[in-house]
Structure formats: structure tokens, C-alpha cells
């Protein structure tokens, strides 16, 4: 089982990714944008991060650069 962070500004995509991954036994944490994703990474460790690139507030590229 992996702990996965899913970062996307689309609720539909976040919900879909979370449903598929949890159905397959993974723990999923979601974030609405790169800033929220970065905050989650600062508070806990993840085995994998799935991120959109174009998001408001902070892009996926900016988030990864800061990680």
C-alpha cells in the first residue's frame, strides 16, 4: 500500500484519482492546488505525488521545485 498525494484544481479529477487508488488499496490525500500540496508535503511523507501542471495559486511545476 502506498501513500499518495493527488494535486489537481479539478474536483472531478481529484475524486476520480482518489476513488481508483483507494479501491486498489492505497491511502490518498488530495489538495486543490500546488500551495495546498506543498503544505501537505511539509506535514507528512508520501510514496508518490500525482500533480496537475496548470493550477491557480501555485502550479505543479512550482510545487515540485519547492519540494
Amino acid at each position: 500500500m502506498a501513500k499518495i498525494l493527488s494535486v489537481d484544481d479539478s474536483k472531478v479529477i481529484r475524486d476520480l484519482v482518489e476513488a481508483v487508488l483507494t479501491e486498489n488499496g492505497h491511502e490518498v490525500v488530495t489538495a486543490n492546488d500546488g500551495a495546498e500540496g506543498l503544505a501537505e508535503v511539509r506535514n507528512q511523507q508520501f510514496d508518490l505525488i500525482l500533480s496537475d501542471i496548470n493550477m491557480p495559486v501555485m502550479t505543479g511545476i512550482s510545487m515540485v521545485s519547492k519540494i
Side-chain angles (χ1 to χ4, degrees), residues 4-7 31 33-52 55 58-67:
I4 301 169
L5 174 63
S6 174
V7 185
D33 56 51
E36 284 186 20
L38 185 58
E40 291 294 343
V41 168
R42 289 180 173 157
N43 290 322
Q44 52 191 318
Q45 291 187 330
F46 294 95
D47 299 303
L48 177 69
I49 299 172
L50 300 174
S51 180
D52 186 5
M55 296 178 286
M58 181 185 290
T59 67
I61 300 295
S62 294
M63 178 188 72
V64 170
S65 295
K66 292 181 185 292
I67 292 172

Side-chain angles (χ1 to χ4, degrees), residues 18-33:
E18 183 176 21
V20 170
L21 293 174
T22 54
E23 185 176 294
N24 285 284
H26 303 290
E27 179 182 350
V28 180
V29 175
T30 62
N32 297 321
D33 56 51

